[in-house]
Amino acid sequence: MSAPVRIGNCSGFYGDRITAMREMLEGGELDYLTGDYLAELTMLILGRDRMKDPNLGYAKTFLRQMEDCLGLAVDKGVRIVVNAGGLNPAGLTDKLREIAVKLGVAAEFAHVEGDDLTGRAAELGLGQPLTANAYLGAWGIVECLNSGADVVVTGRVTDASVIVGPAAAHFGWRRTDYDQLAGAVVAGHVIECGTQATGGNYAFFQEIADLTRPGFPIAEISSDGSSVITKHAGTGGAVSVGTVTAQLMYEIQGARYAGPDVTTRLDTVTLTQAGPDRVGIGPVSGEAPPPELKVSLNTLGGFRNEMAFVLTGLDIEAKAELARKQLESWLTVTPAELDWELARLDRPDAETEEQASAILRCVVRDPDPNKVGRSFSSVAVELALASYPGCTFTSMPGNGAPYGVFTPGYVDAQQVPHIAVLPDGSRVDVAQAVDTRALAAVADPAMPEPLPAGQVREVPLGAIAAARSGDKGGNANIGVWVRTDEQWRWLAHELTVDRIRTMLPETENLTIVRTMLPELRAVNFVIEGILGQGVAYQARFDPQAKGLAEWLRSRHIPVPQALVENQPEASPEGPSIEEQA
């Protein structure tokens, strides 16, 4: 088959736009529609659902979407592949069959399982977590599609696998077609987060003419693994080299992007603006996957509570110190963890009371809910008439809530079952990769020639650079890129690990790893441990590091005067192929 396969996305997370499935089905032609509903935090949420009811553990919103759209998808011949099964793909598939009967729609359903290792966690050396799910690949999805399934439900597969599976089935790729698989992984990584590929969370968002309601993305994947990223005509947002680069930089670690089916070489990715709202991704190099699978481990870490004090006007530091001293001395029991953070949001001689106020947060954690419940928050409220002048709070006291801890684990792939359950109920064992290659760092590419010395100006980094940040367990990444070769010559030399430590003081004592991606004019930084024990632990006020990149962009840095003055003309479409040549 030489024609590209059109694969759309209608969900980037559990809770994404509920109408997106219908919008994508009605908006234009598709061969497949996919959705990503899982994340590290989502697995914890689904684990708690399953504790309450063993019949749950899947993304319930997907059922609502299918009640609305199953008939439409079947009528249009669009096949659906989603990871909404979470911890219970079989249970979700049974519910879908009930919906089909209720609607009178003739449809075939299949699911993929084997990723749930919770019952075997101890024997695999993974401890005793609430959830333990290995990241499976795309070949179970391929089996289900080849069996004639109209809807395929999976548990924990890699985010890109729901896109790689349809492409591999459509073109009949082999397990060792690593370049083709790698190309599909890149396309999948771009579209799996939904509207982040069409302008959402985009650093240069003001260049996009209409971001009111961005459309969801589509990947047109060709038989060699190259692709074009686009969206339905008439939808909001934009697809440009910039928006696609932004998503490519999201939650990556290094130049080798490891997966269960292929290790993708991100340092071989090239982008071209192929037309309005069309970005071409050239052929990508792939390598054999590592011999181990990553496992998502979620554990209930204990209970957490928080009180936030508002400090207004003068003597902010002294007021904070008084509140700390009083609360700690009044507590009858001391929680295992008691952390204070003063956010100096106030400004002198402020024109509004809010602008004159700072926030003092006290966060407590303990295995015993009684030590962080009313016994803590009630004491905080008792300070109201006995503490610093103007004492008030952002919210009233509450009981402690459970919090989770995420840790990654790794197991030999051969110890993890991968099972495709076909529409007729038959079960197919899908072999794990036999041809493997241990993961290793990529040597640093050659540095570009530095710019000649000249006048510089102190400006925000974001005056010339875009960035995107995200979370991976306790680590965060920040991908930073620029749009011209001259800017790249400056960025590659200037934005070093030491410079990041200076610009982001929180990182001073943390390990930072830098990776250069010259084809994208980008550098990626992985900051280890900045998120503590993962998003559910809430180690910092931005637990998923969503705003970390924008903080970096706001920090001032000496930039050559010529780069500041000679900015490329803003264009939501990015440079054309002719301009890039």
Side-chain angles (χ1 to χ4, degrees):
M1 298 181 183
S2 58
V5 59
R6 281 174 60 90
I7 304 174
N9 167 278
C10 68
S11 176
F13 65 99
Y14 187 13
D16 208 346
R17 190 188 306 170
I18 194 72
T19 59
M21 182 177 288
R22 176 165 287 277
E23 292 171 18
M24 290 299 287
L25 289 170
E26 292 181 338
E29 294 303 311
L30 295 173
D31 297 305
Y32 295 89
L33 184 58
T34 64
D36 176 21
Y37 293 78
L38 303 183
E40 293 167 358
L41 180 61
T42 310
M43 300 303 285
L44 177 68
I45 294 169
L46 297 179
R48 293 184 61 198
D49 284 350
R50 189 170 62 175
M51 288 177 64
K52 300 171 186 175
D53 184 345
N55 295 314
L56 296 178
Y58 51 76
K60 297 186 285 291
T61 53
F62 177 66
L63 285 176
R64 291 170 53 195
Q65 290 176 304
M66 291 300 283
E67 279 197 90
D68 179 48
C69 297
L70 177 60
L72 177 60
V74 171
D75 289 345
K76 293 180 72 70
V78 178
R79 302 169 81 179
I80 294 174
V81 181
V82 297
N83 61 12
L87 303 176
N88 189 5
L92 178 57
T93 305
D94 288 341
K95 289 292 185 182
L96 291 173
R97 291 191 175 100
E98 293 176 9
I99 288 173
V101 171
K102 175 183 173 183
L103 298 176
V105 175
E108 299 287 351
F109 302 91
H111 73 271
V112 177
E113 59 185 41
D115 61 291
D116 193 346
L117 305 179
T118 307
R120 299 171 54 209
E123 71 177 81
L124 293 171
L126 302 173
Q128 295 182 312
L130 174 65
T131 66
N133 294 81
Y135 286 80
L136 299 180
W139 295 105
I141 296 170
V142 172
E143 287 285 348
C144 292
L145 292 172
N146 287 342
S147 74
D150 299 296
V151 179
V152 180
V153 171
T154 77
R156 178 73 275 189
V157 297
T158 66
D159 298 341
S161 289
V162 295
I163 291 93
V164 177
H170 184 80
F171 292 116
W173 290 337
R174 299 165 299 175
R175 298 286 295 257
T176 54
D177 287 334
Y178 295 130
D179 291 348
Q180 293 93 322
L181 293 168
V185 165
V186 171
H189 179 57
V190 171
I191 74 167
E192 55 91 2
C193 270
T195 52
Q196 281 196 163
T198 59
N201 289 337
Y202 181 46
F204 295 138
F205 69 98
Q206 294 180 87
E207 295 179 3
I208 298 176
D210 178 15
L211 198 54
T212 307
R213 191 178 178 85
F216 277 70
I218 299 166
E220 298 176 352
I221 303 176
S222 296
S223 59
D224 65 352
S226 63
S227 62
V228 171
I229 307 300
T230 186
K231 63 186 184 71
H232 284 321
T235 57
V239 179
S240 69
V241 167
T243 66
V244 172
T245 301
Q247 180 55 25
L248 276 175
M249 300 303 295
Y250 183 59
E251 294 183 340
I252 65 171
Q253 303 297 296
R256 281 192 167 102
Y257 188 74
D261 302 320
V262 62
T263 293
T264 301
R265 290 294 297 265
L266 295 178
D267 53 347
T268 67
V269 176
T270 59
L271 305 178
T272 53
Q273 194 75 42
D277 292 320
R278 294 182 65 81
V279 170
I281 302 177
V284 178
S285 294
E287 301 168 345
E292 293 183 315
L293 297 184
K294 182 179 178 181
V295 184
S296 171
L297 302 170
N298 281 284
T299 305
L300 289 177
F303 296 84
R304 178 188 185 280
N305 205 349
E306 175 179 333
M307 286 295 291
F309 300 79
V310 180
L311 316 173
T312 305
L314 305 175
D315 307 316
I316 296 295
E317 298 286 345
K319 290 172 179 175
E321 179 58 31
L322 176 59
R324 283 195 292 263
K325 180 178 179 180
Q326 287 179 307
L327 187 142
E328 290 181 6
S329 65
W330 289 19
L331 287 173
T332 56
V333 291
T334 302
E337 297 180 45
L338 192 153
D339 298 322
W340 294 91
E341 180 182 5
L342 177 61
R344 292 300 303 265
L345 308 177
D346 56 302
R347 63 184 70 173
D349 195 22
E351 295 182 356
T352 68
E353 182 179 342
E354 187 173 15
Q355 292 175 350
S357 299
I359 301 294
L360 176 66
R361 293 185 180 87
C362 182
V363 177
V364 290
R365 299 182 184 89
D366 198 280
D368 184 352
N370 295 319
K371 292 185 179 181
V372 299
R374 294 281 176 171
S375 63
F376 160 72
S377 53
S378 294
V379 167
V381 170
E382 289 170 5
L383 298 179
L385 303 182
S387 189
Y388 60 88
C391 179
T392 187
F393 314 95
T394 61
S395 61
M396 295 307 293
N399 293 318
Y403 72 89
V405 173
F406 170 86
T407 53
Y410 296 89
V411 298
D412 187 321
Q414 304 307 321
Q415 298 191 58
V416 179
H418 189 171
I419 301 166
V421 184
L422 307 184
D424 64 1
S426 60
R427 301 170 66 85
V428 177
D429 289 324
V430 179
Q432 300 287 3
V434 175
D435 180 19
T436 62
R437 174 177 176 172
L439 203 60
V442 175
D444 289 337
M447 292 286 286
E449 283 292 320
L451 290 176
Q455 289 189 321
V456 298
R457 283 174 54 188
E458 287 276 342
V459 297
L461 174 63
I464 67 167
R468 170 70 62 79
S469 55
D471 65 297
K472 278 293 181 184
N475 302 340
N477 90 295
I478 309 177
V480 184
W481 70 99
V482 289
R483 297 189 285 189
T484 70
D485 290 339
E486 292 294 288
Q487 291 174 346
W488 170 241
R489 290 172 63 188
W490 169 80
L491 184 75
H493 288 275
E494 185 66 25
L495 203 60
T496 62
V497 167
D498 287 341
R499 177 68 75 175
I500 291 291
R501 294 193 200 282
T502 300
M503 298 174 75
L504 305 181
E506 280 186 52
T507 69
E508 182 179 2
N509 298 314
L510 300 176
T511 298
I512 303 175
V513 179
R514 184 178 102 142
T515 300
M516 293 175 59
L517 299 170
E519 295 288 352
L520 300 174
R521 302 190 190 98
V523 288
N524 184 61
F525 298 90
V526 175
I527 304 171
E528 299 181 4
I530 193 171
L531 303 180
Q533 298 181 66
V535 54
Y537 185 76
Q538 298 186 52
R540 59 196 305 272
F541 86 103
D542 176 19
Q544 291 182 287
K546 294 292 189 183
L548 194 59
E550 287 301 296
W551 176 29
L552 178 65
R553 291 182 69 240
S554 74
R555 299 288 283 167
H556 286 224
I557 186 172
V559 178
Q561 179 106 2
L563 295 186
V564 178
E565 294 174 349
N566 299 323
Q567 284 278 50
E569 185 176 347
S571 169
E573 296 176 8
S576 67
I577 296 174
E578 292 76 16
E579 290 171 330
Q580 289 191 343

